[in-house]
Amino acid sequence: MISEQAKQELADALGRDYVKDDPQTLVTHSYDGTPMLQSLPDAVVYPESTEQVSQTMKILHKHRIPLVSRGSGTNLCGGTVPTEGGVVMVMHRMNRILEVDLENLTATVQPGLNTKQFIERVEELGLFYPPDPSSMAVSTIGGNIAECSGGLRGLKYGTTKDYVIGLEAVLANGEVLRTGGKLMKDVAGYDLTKLLVGSEGTLAVITEATLKLIPPPKHKKTMLAMYKDLHGAARTVSHIIEARIIPATLEIMDNPTIRVVDDFAKLGLPRDMAAILLIEQDGDEAAVERDIERIERICRADDADRVEVAATPEEALKLLTARRSAFTALARLRPTTILEDATVPRSKIADMVLEINRIAAKHNVQIATFGHAGDGNLHPTATTDARDADEVHRVEAAFEEIFEAAIRLGGTITGEHGVGLVKAPYLEWKVGAAGMDIMRGIKQAFDPHNLLNPGKMFAKAARKRVVIDRG
């Protein structure tokens, strides 16, 4: 619990209207996008500036009160659930574009800025910010940075970390740290900017970001390749990359996902296909047309049953919107939807999808798979009911085997959703004991009293990895 003295100090620093502990506000900030996780904070605060964030952290540091910083809470790893109480810091008041520098092609923004609104504003100025997480209509830039969000364009353009070139952040003791800047080159010491990107609020509170912008592509073309054989789709992914073609988007949907998305979006997708690849290329018109022709030949050589190229930009947008709606469509099936993101090398996509299907059948649970085939990032998604304890237990057991399978195939437990609370028991599977020791040392250097997002990333007890029975 927070003492009345601490609450009064917070009210003095932020204004009484921006420190809340009423039941409705506490409940509203007790969960995020992760199903079946909830924990009440003791108070919620709404800072307006870096100075107020710094003042807040000095107060919390003095009283040893934990803090969870959050944007819109769209993350799927329990990263913003205040499992140890304390204060939730909501960054929505810090939502401005501070500068768009047309000479350096950078934007300086506050963390509470909505991702989609930022992208649209940049595009109005004739520039391009590629990171496009599926949650971008709701999520914030600060949340994207904390989780190092990816998106459909990640194969060609990279993820959030590739566009964050400078940060302002407040440390656990209230000191303000500035890293990087409007620089394309900077090797002065450790790269603290990249360290903070993806640190999930465990090292500092991000208060400002300098982002790299690029010129937009001049032309786009979108196609669907449909397969009755999953291995044919997987071979196509590898062969496209092997041909030195890097599409802007290279997505996969398995049959259960195809059926659900078609029910939702009414696009007339072929419901008898084992897999669909959604492929978009962008760039100069001549290069795009050449790449699309080459990709079509590759698809047909790998026994695609049908290949269709979108005739208009509107048709292309419908296809991309359908892919982005996969999670929403699946969420309509059952009361509880659990979306994960195991990642494997591109060459192992078919093996991983088959493993997911085998594991789902073994545990008698419903799992559909879609994701970013071009970078090996798959999203096995279980539809279940949190009220059915036995089924939820089987879903959890299935995902544990899915994580193990991803590691065994040379992959990782998360490609873009983050570790948070949900994946913390499995982190050592990926980074090893030495890696965990290094990470704990970094956490200790930044936050010796464990006040920033405690309980995340570092599990109290790691899961013992076992060789899964594949029978």
Side-chain angles (χ1 to χ4, degrees):
M1 295 293 292
I2 298 178
S3 68
E4 291 303 316
Q5 174 65 29
K7 287 181 184 178
Q8 183 59 52
E9 291 177 24
L10 290 171
D12 291 342
L14 302 175
R16 189 165 297 280
D17 290 343
Y18 300 108
V19 179
K20 298 183 180 295
D21 60 359
D22 60 282
Q24 182 176 343
T25 300
L26 298 184
V27 169
T28 298
H29 296 89
S30 65
Y31 58 91
D32 56 24
T34 316
M36 302 182 295
L37 281 178
Q38 188 173 20
S39 183
L40 288 172
D42 298 308
V44 180
V45 299
Y46 304 84
E48 187 180 31
S49 64
T50 299
E51 181 183 1
Q52 287 191 351
V53 174
S54 175
Q55 291 174 329
T56 299
M57 289 313 307
K58 288 176 181 177
I59 294 165
L60 300 183
H61 185 262
K62 180 176 71 172
H63 292 280
R64 300 292 190 262
I65 297 170
L67 174 104
V68 176
S69 56
R70 65 176 277 160
S72 297
T74 58
N75 85 90
L76 295 163
C77 64
T80 53
V81 177
T83 53
E84 299 191 19
V87 169
V88 168
M89 179 181 286
V90 181
M91 309 303 290
H92 284 170
R93 294 178 71 205
M94 298 177 64
N95 59 8
R96 293 186 297 130
I97 299 175
L98 301 175
E99 178 192 45
V100 176
D101 185 336
L102 298 179
E103 292 184 337
N104 288 301
L105 295 187
T106 64
T108 303
V109 305
Q110 293 181 311
L113 178 65
N114 174 266
T115 308
K116 186 177 181 181
Q117 290 176 4
F118 172 62
I119 290 173
E120 290 174 346
R121 175 58 179 149
V122 164
E123 289 177 348
E124 289 172 1
L125 297 172
L127 294 169
F128 186 35
Y129 180 72
D132 62 335
S134 295
S135 62
M136 66 180 181
V138 181
S139 66
T140 63
I141 294 293
N144 297 166
I145 293 171
E147 298 294 336
C148 191
S149 298
L152 274 65
R153 296 191 284 242
L155 168 61
K156 182 172 185 177
Y157 290 104
T159 61
T160 298
K161 70 177 183 296
D162 300 300
Y163 296 88
V164 180
I165 56 177
L167 289 172
E168 177 188 81
V170 176
L171 302 175
N173 63 4
E175 291 184 16
V176 178
L177 172 71
R178 292 180 177 85
T179 73
K182 298 179 183 180
L183 307 167
M184 295 302 108
K185 291 181 178 180
D186 182 4
V187 293
Y190 297 135
D191 192 341
L192 297 179
T193 304
K194 291 294 188 288
L195 177 61
L196 291 178
V197 176
S199 62
E200 303 184 22
T202 63
L203 301 181
V205 179
I206 293 164
T207 53
E208 189 177 295
T210 301
L211 307 174
K212 178 176 69 174
L213 307 176
I214 62 175
K218 297 178 180 178
H219 187 66
K220 295 181 182 180
K221 207 140 196 184
T222 305
M223 66 188 295
L224 277 184
M226 299 157 247
Y227 298 80
K228 290 185 176 178
D229 172 40
L230 179 65
H231 282 279
R235 284 195 304 270
T236 296
V237 173
S238 296
H239 289 158
I240 289 171
I241 305 302
E242 188 178 355
R244 308 297 191 267
I245 303 170
I246 307 298
T249 298
L250 180 47
E251 298 288 301
I252 191 168
M253 292 188 288
D254 72 354
N255 181 265
T257 309
I258 294 167
R259 290 173 174 270
V260 173
V261 167
D262 194 51
D263 287 339
F264 178 74
K266 309 296 183 186
L267 291 174
L269 297 176
R271 302 164 71 93
D272 60 335
M273 295 295 161
I276 284 178
L277 294 180
L278 172 63
I279 307 165
E280 182 177 77
Q281 184 58 302
D282 63 12
D284 291 333
E285 184 172 358
V288 169
E289 296 294 338
R290 182 176 64 248
D291 283 350
I292 287 293
E293 288 180 8
R294 293 173 64 201
I295 291 170
E296 183 173 353
R297 289 198 296 270
I298 292 169
C299 293
R300 295 192 185 282
D302 286 324
D303 299 321
D305 190 75
R306 289 160 54 190
V307 180
E308 297 178 358
V309 179
T312 65
E314 292 75 21
E315 186 178 334
L317 180 60
K318 282 185 179 179
L319 295 176
L320 289 167
T321 301
R323 161 58 187 89
R324 291 186 190 278
S325 72
F327 175 67
T328 303
L330 287 164
R332 299 168 72 220
L333 297 181
R334 303 282 304 280
T336 307
T337 309
I338 304 175
L339 173 66
E340 283 297 352
D341 74 322
T343 302
V344 294
R346 286 185 286 252
S347 61
K348 298 295 184 181
I349 286 174
D351 293 337
M352 188 65 206
V353 175
L354 291 173
E355 276 291 271
I356 292 168
N357 293 343
R358 179 191 67 80
I359 292 166
K362 173 183 173 182
H363 292 279
N364 189 28
V365 294
Q366 299 173 15
I367 297 180
T369 302
F370 59 93
H372 316 304
D375 52 26
N377 185 199
L378 296 173
H379 294 310
T381 304
T383 53
T384 183
D385 189 335
R387 296 167 295 186
D388 186 337
D390 177 68
E391 183 175 79
V392 168
H393 176 74
R394 286 184 279 114
V395 168
E396 291 173 344
F399 275 123
E400 181 165 331
E401 291 197 26
I402 287 169
F403 300 150
E404 195 281 336
I407 295 286
R408 177 163 32 86
L409 291 171
T412 184
I413 60 172
T414 177
E416 60 185 5
H417 288 178
V419 175
L421 186 67
V422 174
K423 300 281 185 70
Y426 309 102
L427 182 57
E428 190 169 331
W429 291 10
K430 174 59 181 173
V431 304
M436 293 301 299
D437 287 343
I438 291 292
M439 290 184 185
R440 289 190 184 97
I442 293 170
K443 170 69 170 173
Q444 176 69 18
F446 272 82
D447 181 19
H449 300 293
N450 193 28
L451 300 180
L452 293 172
N453 212 1
K456 313 300 167 52
M457 202 174 296
F458 303 102
K460 293 179 181 178
R463 286 295 181 98
K464 181 180 179 182
R465 187 180 170 200
V466 296
V467 177
I468 301 298
D469 177 12
R470 303 183 72 250

